[in-house]
Amino acid sequence: MTFQSISFLVFFLPVVLLLHWAGPRRAGWQNGLLVAASWLFFYSWGPQLLPLLLAVTALNYGAGLALEALRGPEGAPPDTLRARRGRLLLGAAVAVDLGLLVGWKYTGFLVRTADAMAGAVGLPLSVAAPSWALPLGISFWTLQQVGYLLDVHHGRTAACRSPLAFALFSSFFPQIQAGPIPRSDLVAQLEVPRAFTLDALRAGAFRFFRGFVARFLVAAVLGRLLVDPAFSQAGQVSAVRHWLGLLGYAGQVFCDFAGYSEMAIGAAMALGVKLPENFDAPFLATNLLGLWRRWHMSLTGWLFEHVYSPLMTGSGRLRGRLDLGFLLTFLVSGLWHGAAWTFVLWGGLQGLGLIVHRRYDEAYRGLCRTDRAWVTRRKSRAYLLAAWAITQLFFLLTLVPFRARSFGEAAAFAGGLLGGGPLAPPRLALIDVANLLVCAGLLLAYHALRGRQLPLPAVARGVLYGLLIVYLAVFMPVADGTFIYAQF
Amino acid sequence: MDQRADLRRAIVEWLDDNYLFGDAAGMLTSDDLSFLESGVLDSLGFVRLVLWLEERHAIKIDRKHLTRANFDSMNKIVGYVAQRAGWAP
């Protein structure tokens, strides 16, 4: 059952909403219903994998309670037997969570890599790499659960006492497939009954619809008309088509994931649950660090909180080594995105980009200390425009390995971007051109408005939205497409 | 000089020098202003601020204390450091 399926839109979501708000306003009822709905949603993706989710939920629920019990009082010495047991339990629980993720997602990658390395020295292993079906959203809910355990262990949150609330925290259907990755404070929301408000229902419905348009119309159109033809003929078509394909891919991957996040946030909002925001107009960012504060914010926040900050402020060898921390954090991010070396390359490039940005920023601050005119220059339009162009161009180019299925394809595509050839744009029907213009308009409007309403009288706005909906319904095909981030 | 006022002045200087490019007076409108929400600090800045505070005051900030509740505004930071360093109230 997917978000665009008739069974979800016409049956599942309306029935869940109706039962949720028509029933008693008690956390037990609301959570029980949503847990049943969430497990049914998960079951619809892979019946054989539901026991895994249930087992992980039970494990982390128990581990959370035990970690809290083993947590010493404030100021207790870290070398007591209880503290050591706490660390041991945390390590074991996190190892199980990450072990399942690694086992399911990376075994094939590790086997293929080992085989290739052995083959390079003349010792082919000839072991077939397994290709198991990934449990729905395992990359996302593993981080969510690990974050919860770390927060409980460090005393940043209380362990969840209600098994029902924790089961919902672990399986909430709007976000289980691909986030946003909620922080452990979501538990507190789920432990109390949620109150119905028409405003929340209306706002949730609007965001769900907005996400639907981005995910199933805009992303799908960009992918079909620009991206797939360019990448499937990497190095064989004109440079213009490569650049259009890459620009289209930036729009596609953004609409695909930001659209899904909007749908998840909207559906949760309609159920009285507030999920964290995941995107904030990333194509307006004027530096790479800023871009990562706006793109997949829940993952970036998780990585900074649970990987970067502990490495940098801990007492280990990496303490204070900010550049190395960037590189390691984004290599982890790359590997999280996909079990392939192309993703590792992508993560490494992001890390290197952040290092360059940080070093540049430090050098620029040195100039500002000597002459205040540099501060003024930094605020000028020309400076901001150049900073924006460099940031976005860098991010755009790093999408080549992100999209390519192999280094060879990435190299061919990169060569195609530089290649000459005739100025031959793709041959498109008039309706396709119109659809692409609508897509570009929607992307621009999203970044310009950033959640605000169009500055028009309500009637004019209503007419405009109505015309847009009619256009979308009549002329733009709802494509099944491939949900890019679901693969991660 | 009062230790809290001294620390406050030092934090303003550090922010000015490292992030605000001389605009601290205009941006730090209140000692309760959220550094993260107002864009005064980002995640990297947060880490750098913690490292700087540890070095300046010879204290070790426990990982469990690395929360917004302790570091997201001038008042919170000064209050936290005062408590950890054992300054008189």
Side-chain angles (χ1 to χ4, degrees):
Chain A
M1 187 160 41
T2 58
F3 277 9
Q4 92 277 26
S5 63
I6 297 296
S7 54
F8 182 86
L9 292 171
V10 177
F11 177 71
F12 185 85
L13 188 57
V15 168
V16 170
L17 278 167
L18 192 67
L19 291 175
H20 185 267
W21 293 123
R25 197 190 143 191
R26 289 202 311 266
W29 163 261
Q30 293 175 336
N31 290 347
L33 173 76
L34 292 181
V35 167
S38 298
W39 287 355
L40 179 64
F41 184 80
F42 192 91
Y43 181 86
S44 74
W45 280 81
Q48 71 280 16
L49 295 172
L50 184 59
L52 173 75
L53 179 69
L54 304 189
V56 169
T57 301
L59 168 86
N60 289 316
Y61 173 72
L65 290 173
L67 284 170
E68 187 172 70
L70 289 168
R71 200 168 67 206
E74 183 70 23
D79 56 351
T80 61
L81 181 62
R82 196 161 77 163
R84 282 201 297 273
R85 282 182 179 163
R87 287 198 294 274
L88 198 64
L89 176 62
L90 175 71
V94 169
V96 171
D97 284 330
L98 293 181
L100 288 171
L101 175 64
V102 170
W104 241 283
K105 185 169 174 178
Y106 298 100
T107 301
F109 168 66
L110 293 171
V111 168
R112 281 192 301 275
T113 302
D115 196 32
M117 289 171 71
V121 294
L123 296 167
L125 296 174
S126 302
V127 178
S131 60
W132 300 318
L134 273 182
L136 180 68
I138 188 170
S139 302
F140 294 86
W141 48 260
T142 297
L143 295 194
Q144 180 181 339
Q145 303 268 347
V146 169
Y148 167 77
L149 294 176
L150 289 168
D151 283 348
V152 172
H153 174 72
H154 290 304
R156 293 190 288 250
T157 193
C160 180
R161 312 244 148 237
S162 159
L164 214 48
F166 190 79
L168 183 56
F169 172 73
S170 306
S171 63
F172 191 35
F173 75 84
Q175 49 85 218
I176 192 172
Q177 185 184 354
I181 302 164
R183 301 164 68 93
S184 50
D185 55 13
L186 175 62
V187 170
Q189 276 193 67
L190 302 178
E191 286 179 320
V192 294
R194 277 80 66 188
F196 175 82
T197 69
L198 197 56
D199 281 349
L201 185 66
R202 202 159 35 204
F206 177 70
R207 293 194 68 167
F208 189 89
F209 173 73
R210 196 167 69 172
F212 185 93
V213 170
R215 160 75 185 91
F216 294 111
L217 299 177
V218 180
V221 164
L222 291 172
R224 183 172 57 84
L225 297 181
L226 296 179
V227 183
D228 296 342
F231 275 89
S232 64
Q233 302 172 78
Q236 298 165 36
V237 289
S238 70
V240 173
R241 291 181 68 172
H242 280 84
W243 280 104
L244 283 174
L246 191 55
L247 281 167
Y249 184 58
Q252 184 195 13
V253 74
F254 168 74
C255 288
D256 183 85
F257 192 30
Y260 175 85
S261 298
E262 283 285 293
M263 294 168 83
I265 290 167
M269 195 181 275
L271 290 163
V273 176
K274 187 172 178 0
L275 292 177
E277 296 296 330
N278 225 12
F279 287 84
D280 179 20
F283 295 137
L284 295 181
T286 54
N287 66 66
L288 198 56
L289 196 60
L291 192 148
W292 280 108
R293 279 202 303 277
R294 293 157 171 261
W295 183 288
H296 203 175
M297 294 147 70
S298 62
L299 174 68
T300 313
W302 193 99
L303 289 170
F304 265 94
E305 189 167 332
H306 298 300
V307 179
Y308 188 80
S309 295
L311 285 177
M312 295 302 97
T313 60
S315 50
R317 288 183 177 181
L318 289 171
R319 179 183 167 78
R321 300 176 74 176
L322 303 175
D323 290 345
L324 193 54
F326 274 143
L327 196 58
L328 288 174
T329 303
F330 274 86
L331 284 173
V332 169
S333 175
L335 208 49
W336 177 89
H337 276 87
W341 287 106
T342 46
F343 286 110
V344 177
L345 172 63
W346 172 81
L349 289 172
Q350 298 302 327
L352 288 173
L354 285 167
I355 292 170
V356 170
H357 162 65
R358 196 182 84 76
R359 292 293 176 99
Y360 166 79
D361 222 33
E362 296 240 326
Y364 198 94
R365 271 198 296 273
L367 292 174
C368 293
R369 286 183 199 113
T370 57
D371 184 354
R372 290 282 300 163
W374 289 100
V375 178
T376 312
R377 279 188 201 113
R378 192 182 168 92
K379 292 174 184 167
S380 69
R381 284 191 179 180
Y383 182 97
L384 290 173
L385 189 64
W388 172 81
I390 292 168
T391 302
Q392 298 298 333
L393 181 63
F394 175 81
F395 186 70
L396 191 66
L397 290 173
T398 61
L399 288 177
V400 173
F402 193 83
R403 170 63 171 78
R405 285 163 299 184
S406 65
F407 285 135
E409 187 179 310
F413 195 91
L417 288 171
L418 299 172
L423 279 175
R427 287 183 193 162
L428 296 169
L430 187 60
I431 187 64
D432 291 336
V433 175
N435 281 341
L436 284 174
L437 289 174
V438 168
C439 290
L442 288 172
L443 264 168
L444 284 172
Y446 167 83
H447 279 77
L449 294 171
R450 297 180 73 181
R452 297 186 303 272
Q453 291 281 11
L454 272 171
L456 292 172
V459 175
R461 205 166 52 224
V463 169
L464 194 64
Y465 285 157
L467 288 173
L468 180 64
I469 289 170
V470 169
Y471 178 88
L472 294 174
V474 173
F475 294 111
M476 216 180 256
V478 177
D480 188 26
T482 306
F483 178 30
I484 297 167
Y485 264 76
Q487 303 165 59
F488 306 150
Chain B
M1 186 188 284
D2 174 65
Q3 287 166 306
R4 286 179 172 76
D6 182 45
L7 174 58
R8 189 191 178 286
R9 184 186 50 74
I11 292 172
V12 171
E13 279 177 13
W14 186 87
L15 288 172
D16 227 2
D17 194 36
N18 288 281
Y19 281 92
L20 304 181
F21 294 94
D23 286 345
M27 288 192 74
L28 301 176
T29 51
S30 154
D31 282 354
D32 289 316
L33 180 79
S34 164
F35 286 169
L36 287 170
E37 282 170 20
S38 62
V40 169
L41 274 186
D42 52 30
S43 311
L44 172 64
F46 188 79
V47 166
R48 293 186 64 209
L49 178 66
V50 166
L51 292 170
W52 177 76
L53 285 169
E54 285 187 336
E55 194 179 323
R56 186 177 192 270
H57 293 280
I59 53 174
K60 179 76 189 96
I61 297 172
D62 201 305
R63 197 173 298 172
K64 67 181 158 196
H65 294 148
L66 286 175
T67 62
R68 277 189 166 205
N70 288 325
F71 290 96
D72 195 28
S73 70
M74 183 65 78
N75 276 340
K76 287 175 180 173
I77 296 170
V78 173
Y80 177 81
V81 173
Q83 187 210 345
R84 297 285 293 171
W87 294 345

